[in-house]
Amino acid sequence: MSEANSDELALVRRAATDPDAFGELYERHVRRIYNYIYYRTGDHHDAEDLTARVFQRALRHVGTFQDKGVPFTAWLYRIAHNLVANWHRDRSRRPVLPLEDHLAASAISSHPETLALAEEEGELLLVAVRRLPAERQQLLILKFVEHLSNAEIGNIMGRSEGAIKSLYHRTLASLRDELVGPAGVPPQAVKDDELHDRSEDERA
Amino acid sequence: MRAPNQGQPITSRQLEEWLEQALVPVEPSPRFSQHLRARLVEVQGQGPVNWWMGVVGLVAIFLVMAAWLGMALRIAFALLGVLGLMNRARPAASRAHATQLARQAGP
């Protein structure tokens, strides 16, 4: 076990009875949990509410956490995943609210029309991401928001590095299918590098 | 980066660049973070109930029970007093009659 992992494990054990230790755990993980929930729900208020519930539940059960090779982060993500799934189930009959204005930090240009177009396209992509299965959404969030490696993502999701890589390629393919539109793209219109990616998928 | 128009082929590289721009870290509001942390630490700090709080609780329950018992006894004594008064308030004639009957019956 790495030093960082053993340090975190010691902190988790103390957190069961020491408020400051739990506070430290909270500071380490609140942003990643918030990001995960925000991109799964698309709303800041819901993200805050669910993030609070994640840590309240973690506080109640931190004393029962056991190191079975699964890091504490993965345990938190599992709690978040379950709460988001319940949230989606409870809202399944309500219309999906549009995403709030949050996009890339750097605008392409300051021209209002360009900004508006970029926002619309960004929303299009995020809506497509949210249509993916929960597992694939988590993969994209961990890869692009948290900038984790395939090995680290595999550690959190309980999969091998190779499985994560394969899942990633399939996820990109699914996302591409979502974005291209109902008419799809004729096979002959597929570009060479896309063909190369698909052959990698088949080998994986 | 502008996304390709719908219907046009999108390469994996383009898609990854697009994702890089759309999926950026989001900061929770400082007020939310601090407030939640304070609430969690406060709940954690309360800890289990102390033993002396348990004693205080038991004493309080005992006192309440004693008060109710005292009230019940007072009511019972009051009822007995009322019955006694009712007995005393019976007409003197009925008492004299009862005495005469007792004399006729003889020793």
Side-chain angles (χ1 to χ4, degrees):
Chain A
M1 183 187 292
S2 69
E3 193 175 330
N5 285 342
S6 58
D7 169 60
E8 176 141 292
L9 190 57
L11 190 62
V12 171
R13 287 189 184 129
R14 285 203 340 253
T17 51
D18 183 2
D20 290 334
F22 189 84
E24 175 67 26
L25 276 178
Y26 166 83
E27 289 295 338
R28 287 187 187 187
H29 297 289
V30 65
R31 280 167 198 80
R32 61 179 57 175
I33 296 299
Y34 179 84
N35 272 277
Y36 172 72
I37 295 175
Y38 172 71
Y39 281 108
R40 291 289 313 275
T41 61
D43 182 74
H44 280 292
H45 299 295
D46 291 326
E48 287 182 351
D49 178 48
L50 290 173
T51 301
R53 286 197 223 175
V54 167
F55 283 96
Q56 283 161 359
R57 189 172 288 193
L59 177 62
R60 279 200 300 273
H61 299 289
V62 69
T64 64
F65 173 78
Q66 291 179 358
D67 178 29
K68 296 178 181 175
V70 175
F72 181 72
T73 312
W75 187 68
L76 280 180
Y77 273 118
R78 176 51 52 184
I79 295 174
H81 168 86
N82 291 338
L83 286 176
V84 170
N86 291 344
W87 181 84
H88 277 295
R89 185 194 61 213
D90 292 344
R91 289 167 62 93
S92 62
R93 291 180 183 171
R94 282 190 269 171
V96 175
L97 296 176
L99 291 174
E100 289 184 21
D101 288 345
H102 177 80
L103 285 175
S106 55
I108 297 155
S109 100
S110 58
H111 195 278
E113 193 177 312
T114 311
L115 279 175
L117 194 56
E119 283 184 11
E120 191 179 321
E121 289 168 347
E123 283 186 20
L124 180 72
L125 177 61
L126 291 177
V127 167
V129 167
R130 286 181 58 209
R131 283 203 209 104
L132 296 173
E135 191 182 53
R136 296 186 180 190
Q137 289 185 48
Q138 183 176 20
L139 169 57
L140 292 178
I141 293 167
L142 292 176
K143 197 164 191 65
F144 289 95
V145 179
E146 300 298 326
H147 300 289
L148 298 181
S149 66
N150 287 339
E152 289 168 327
I153 295 172
N155 207 15
I156 289 171
M157 294 179 69
R159 293 183 170 213
S160 67
E161 185 176 350
I164 293 297
K165 192 175 176 183
S166 171
L167 180 63
Y168 176 63
H169 284 295
R170 292 199 304 273
T171 301
L172 286 186
S174 299
L175 196 54
R176 195 164 43 230
D177 291 340
E178 278 279 348
L179 290 167
V180 163
V185 178
Q188 55 270 22
V190 173
K191 290 191 175 179
D192 288 342
D193 50 354
E194 194 171 358
L195 277 175
H196 173 68
D197 289 333
R198 286 191 180 171
S199 64
E200 274 189 352
D201 288 350
E202 287 162 6
R203 279 201 295 273
Chain B
M1 186 201 83
R2 290 261 322 262
N5 293 331
Q6 269 191 320
Q8 291 185 1
I10 305 172
T11 66
S12 291
R13 199 167 297 118
Q14 285 176 325
L15 188 52
E16 284 177 326
E17 287 174 3
W18 197 9
L19 285 167
E20 283 282 354
Q21 293 193 347
L23 292 174
V24 292
V26 181
E27 280 291 324
S29 74
R31 187 162 175 258
F32 160 75
S33 295
Q34 290 161 12
H35 182 67
L36 178 56
R37 178 182 174 144
R39 208 164 69 209
L40 291 168
V41 169
E42 182 186 344
V43 168
Q44 175 78 328
Q46 282 170 0
V49 176
N50 294 327
W51 67 269
W52 61 267
M53 290 175 69
V55 170
V56 167
L58 282 173
V59 169
I61 291 171
F62 175 75
L63 286 174
V64 168
M65 285 174 63
W68 278 107
L69 185 62
M71 174 79 77
L73 285 173
R74 277 194 218 112
I75 291 172
F77 288 144
L79 282 173
L80 287 173
V82 165
L83 285 172
L85 282 173
M86 283 169 66
N87 276 337
R88 275 190 225 141
R90 258 195 280 172
S94 64
R95 282 204 298 274
H97 181 63
T99 307
Q100 188 181 3
L101 285 175
R103 282 181 189 159
Q104 282 175 358

